[in-house]
Amino acid sequence: MRVLYLFSLFSLLLDIYAYHGVKTWVSGWKSVRRKKIALRSYLVFFTGVTILFLAGITFSTQYLTRFQEWALSLFLTFLITKLFFIIVLLLGDIVRFFWGILRRLFKPKPASGEPFFPSRRRFIAEAGILLAAVPFTGFFYAMFKGKYDYRLHEVTLYFDGLPASFDGFTITQLSDFHSGSFDNMSAVTRGIEIAKAQQSDLFVFTGDLVNNMAWEVEPYISLFSQLKAPYGQFSILGNHDYGDYARWDNPEQKAANFEKIKQNHQTLGYRLMLNENTVIRKGPDQLALIGVENWGRGFIQVGDIDKALEGVDKNAFKILLSHDPTHWEEKIRYHPTTIHLTLSGHTHGAQFGIESDKLRWSPVQGRYLDWAGLANEKDRYLYVNRGFGFLAFSGRLGIWPEITKLTLRKA
């Protein structure tokens, strides 16, 4: 909380500097009334958003609410917009400072009334406004459009050890619903329709059904339960499903919430896998589907891959559902038993970044080696889903919500 309060104070201090930049920008306007409107609008919107954010964190509830998510999202949007504007102003002021020093060195006796430093040029403020408009419009697009801009990722994987009957077998993977963050039922329905349209053989959900509370998913049960597949629907838990990020009156209340979340998986028609395995049969062949509880670097670690592998034929083709990709990084790719394919989520790709043919970047890559898409280590593959929902920042920009369709082929 102290860090958040200091961050808010820092934002208010930036407002003072940016306000003077806005004054420079409107200095050339002829209408005094328009100047006043512009300056007051800045104070109302930018300073007001910081105050709104302060109110959100001060009067926090048991769990993260949509109001708090929107307050945080607007705060980040306006803060980054200010920073872009201030960077341009600061560069201009640095030039003004050194120009003033140099002018005094070569012209020791200034003209009467001449200021020591030259006044800030209006075009500098205009350049700052233009640059700041980029994150401003981008983040608002992320909040009102991008977070529901569902993208289908189709991936074909080739394996030497894939049983012949499973050649062409398809899997639809969704991850990280974070149901408590949704605020547009029709948009969510559109994403689920894309997933249904794939008509895959198997459906898997790789964790974070909710943000914290079991009831968050209940308005969407009739929608999410439409996800069916001929070979079944399987799911696992993510770090948010344990209720660790909410305040509870007693341990019993938290335990009851956790039990309800597990029941909701059953209500959805998903088989929740808790450090266990099952056999998927097709024709004369079979493969092993394994599901573990959450295991993540820096997060809850109750996933037990050895327990989950009990009874699995060592030579079987194996698919693992494990929410956090650091489990694969630290345990699975080095495990003495070969697990051919691991499906994860968790990172959301930070909900912000760039993905193109020539450039792939997200701030989350500073923490995660494998944060989106496909990775492999010899004959072991990992696929990290970018997430269907969103959390904390109520938006997505550049890293869009994902529906994954994987096709298994025999090499």
Side-chain angles (χ1 to χ4, degrees):
M1 290 296 289
R2 289 179 181 177
V3 172
L4 291 175
Y5 283 131
L6 288 172
F7 207 48
S8 301
L9 178 61
F10 173 68
S11 178
L12 290 170
L13 292 174
L14 290 180
D15 279 322
I16 297 172
Y17 187 67
Y19 179 78
H20 288 283
V22 176
K23 286 180 70 175
T24 302
W25 175 51
V26 303
S27 61
W29 295 5
K30 294 180 180 180
S31 172
V32 175
R33 183 170 176 270
R34 287 178 59 204
K35 289 181 183 179
K36 288 182 178 180
I37 291 173
L39 292 171
R40 288 173 182 173
S41 297
Y42 176 86
L43 290 174
V44 168
F45 287 105
F46 281 76
T47 307
V49 163
T50 302
I51 294 171
L52 186 71
F53 174 68
L54 277 169
I57 62 175
T58 301
F59 302 103
S60 59
T61 58
Q62 179 188 3
Y63 53 90
L64 182 68
T65 65
R66 288 178 188 166
F67 168 76
Q68 289 169 324
E69 283 196 325
W70 273 102
L72 172 62
S73 301
L74 289 171
F75 175 76
L76 290 174
T77 298
F78 281 66
L79 176 64
I80 293 171
T81 299
K82 277 186 290 195
L83 286 173
F84 272 69
F85 182 48
I86 284 170
I87 286 170
V88 177
L89 293 180
L90 187 59
L91 290 173
D93 288 344
I94 290 171
V95 172
R96 287 172 55 219
F97 174 80
F98 284 106
W99 180 252
I101 297 295
L102 290 172
R103 189 168 61 179
R104 289 298 173 264
L105 289 175
F106 294 100
K107 188 180 178 183
K109 293 183 179 180
S112 178
E114 183 182 13
F116 188 90
F117 296 110
S119 59
R120 182 183 284 147
R121 296 299 181 95
R122 186 166 177 259
F123 82 87
I124 295 294
E126 289 174 340
I129 292 289
L130 288 172
L131 184 63
V134 175
F136 185 79
T137 54
F139 273 72
F140 268 91
Y141 177 86
M143 290 187 288
F144 289 96
K145 176 71 175 176
K147 64 186 179 184
Y148 295 120
D149 190 4
Y150 297 104
R151 304 294 175 91
L152 175 66
H153 291 252
E154 297 185 84
V155 181
T156 301
L157 298 172
Y158 294 85
F159 298 94
D160 290 325
L162 184 70
S165 298
F166 286 90
D167 186 24
F169 191 80
T170 55
I171 304 170
T172 290
Q173 179 197 7
L174 294 181
S175 191
D176 299 85
F177 279 154
H178 289 287
S179 309
S181 297
F182 292 137
D183 53 15
N184 187 329
M185 177 67 82
S186 62
V188 177
T189 301
R190 186 172 64 251
I192 295 299
E193 289 297 328
I194 295 172
K196 287 168 57 181
Q198 304 316 305
Q199 298 183 332
S200 293
D201 297 308
L202 184 71
F203 170 76
V204 298
F205 174 72
T206 47
D208 280 358
L209 186 66
V210 297
N211 293 342
N212 291 290
M213 317 302 289
W215 55 259
E216 292 172 347
V217 72
E218 291 173 5
Y220 302 93
I221 284 178
S222 62
L223 178 61
F224 295 161
S225 62
Q226 295 175 27
L227 294 163
K228 303 291 185 184
Y231 291 85
Q233 305 81 235
F234 298 85
S235 62
I236 56 171
L237 297 171
N239 56 300
H240 278 267
D241 296 319
Y242 294 86
D244 289 342
Y245 311 115
R247 294 198 301 271
W248 304 98
D249 295 333
N250 52 64
E252 292 75 21
Q253 188 184 36
K254 180 181 179 183
N257 182 76
F258 185 49
E259 287 303 314
K260 183 62 177 175
I261 286 174
K262 290 191 285 187
Q263 291 173 20
N264 283 339
H265 279 261
Q266 184 177 0
T267 305
L268 287 166
Y270 305 167
R271 175 178 169 181
L272 179 61
M273 304 188 75
L274 304 169
N275 297 323
E276 57 188 287
N277 64 79
T278 190
V279 172
I280 307 294
R281 292 183 172 85
K282 185 179 183 187
D285 298 315
Q286 63 184 40
L287 57 77
L289 182 66
I290 305 151
V292 295
E293 293 194 59
N294 193 81
W295 193 105
R297 184 172 60 233
F299 293 92
I300 185 172
Q301 297 182 350
V302 289
D304 188 336
I305 185 60
D306 294 319
K307 180 182 177 183
L309 283 168
E310 289 177 2
V312 175
D313 184 346
K314 184 179 180 180
N315 297 317
F317 186 89
K318 305 172 194 69
I319 298 175
L320 171 66
L321 310 181
S322 181
H323 178 69
D324 193 315
T326 59
H327 190 208
W328 184 84
E329 293 170 9
E330 297 195 9
K331 299 286 185 179
I332 305 306
R333 62 176 171 168
Y334 302 125
H335 199 276
T337 299
T338 296
I339 296 174
H340 301 82
L341 174 61
T342 299
L343 302 179
S344 298
H346 179 65
T347 72
H348 302 199
Q351 299 169 205
F352 174 77
I354 301 169
E355 286 194 280
S356 68
D357 294 337
K358 296 183 179 180
L359 179 61
R360 191 168 183 266
W361 173 87
S362 167
V364 81
Q365 68 190 44
R367 177 174 173 81
Y368 294 97
L369 175 65
D370 304 296
W371 52 272
L374 192 65
N376 74 291
E377 180 79 22
K378 296 180 180 178
D379 55 351
R380 307 179 187 206
Y381 283 87
L382 166 72
Y383 190 86
V384 183
N385 183 286
R386 294 159 181 82
F388 187 86
F390 47 90
L391 179 70
F393 174 61
S394 187
R396 281 180 175 265
L397 187 62
I399 308 294
W400 314 111
E402 176 176 359
I403 295 114
T404 309
K405 183 178 182 180
L406 301 113
T407 302
L408 309 183
R409 304 298 307 218
K410 189 169 180 62

